[in-house]
Amino acid sequence: MIETERLYIRPLPYAQLLKYSLADRSLEQELNVKALPAELSPDLKEALETSILTNVAGAGSDYLYFTLWNIVLKSRREMVGDLCLMGRPDAKGTIEIGYGIHEAFRGYGYMAEAIAGLIGWAAGRPEIRAICASTEKDNLASQKVLTNNGFLLQSASGALLNWRLELKSVASGPIKTSGPDPAVSGEL
């Protein structure tokens, strides 16, 4: 689990990820947090069904590289969004991330803070040397999340902009991290 000033960011093991995918509020009950403000988006639901659940089930202790990392606002004990890694680091030590925040929580800097926390976690893992991400060309808020965290624009491809952060240039911020064990227990 990663802890920042305002957030808990926890990787969901398979059993919790399955509850999340059901969108029946059972995960929120287990974690003792307020229910999500909306249903799963069609894109997230499809990703869960076609790849994320299968990848996490077969990843063993490497599930951190395939699962959703749930973002909880500490002060309200409410889920505000998610991060995910798109797999293990490649041969050059690069991981790709994706992220989303529920509409009601946009504009408060929560996602920028969550990405900063994830960067701090990644910087402490010697197998990770860089992080990349893509944004839609018209998604200025998502671009700002990345630029505020030191990502540099690398290229444009169709409707997407591709970003990269070299971790050797990153100083760890004010975060606390712990191993995957707290993610298995219910309470934050």
Side-chain angles (χ1 to χ4, degrees):
M1 180 167 60
I2 299 169
E3 182 177 355
T4 67
E5 182 180 339
R6 300 180 295 170
L7 306 170
Y8 293 116
I9 306 155
R10 69 179 317 122
L12 299 178
Y14 183 78
Q16 290 178 344
L17 188 61
L18 189 57
K19 288 180 179 183
Y20 182 97
S21 72
L22 297 173
D24 65 357
R25 310 301 186 239
S26 59
L27 177 63
E28 292 88 340
Q29 288 177 331
E30 178 180 332
L31 299 178
N32 192 28
V33 296
K34 292 179 185 169
L36 292 168
E39 297 300 317
L40 296 178
S41 72
D43 289 341
L44 180 55
K45 186 170 178 54
E46 179 183 353
L48 283 162
E49 292 170 354
T50 61
S51 63
I52 297 173
L53 282 164
T54 303
N55 288 338
V56 171
S61 62
D62 277 352
Y63 80 96
L64 300 174
Y65 291 111
F66 299 96
T67 194
L68 291 180
W69 292 60
N70 188 250
I71 304 166
V72 174
L73 181 60
K74 289 184 200 178
S75 64
R76 294 171 50 182
R77 298 192 59 77
E78 192 163 9
M79 293 181 177
V80 298
D82 302 289
L83 298 167
C84 69
L85 284 65
M86 308 295 192
R88 293 177 186 93
D90 67 14
K92 295 180 181 180
T94 301
I95 59 170
E96 183 177 356
I97 62 169
Y99 51 90
I101 191 155
H102 301 294
E103 192 170 336
F105 299 102
R106 293 179 184 162
Y108 296 98
Y110 299 137
M111 189 53 71
E113 186 175 328
I115 297 289
L118 185 67
I119 290 167
W121 172 84
R125 300 183 71 87
E127 69 273 22
I128 302 174
R129 294 189 291 279
I131 302 172
C132 65
S134 296
T135 62
E136 293 180 4
K137 287 182 178 178
D138 62 353
N139 190 339
L140 300 178
S142 187
Q143 293 168 34
K144 186 176 177 184
V145 164
L146 296 175
T147 58
N148 285 349
N149 276 293
F151 283 76
L152 299 175
L153 181 62
Q154 299 296 296
S155 64
S157 175
L160 295 177
L161 298 176
N162 302 303
W163 303 83
R164 184 175 179 87
L165 175 70
E166 297 292 334
L167 291 181
K168 64 184 177 192
S169 65
V170 175
S172 184
I175 61 167
K176 302 175 195 172
T177 62
S178 61
D181 291 343
V184 177
S185 66
E187 296 261 338
L188 291 173

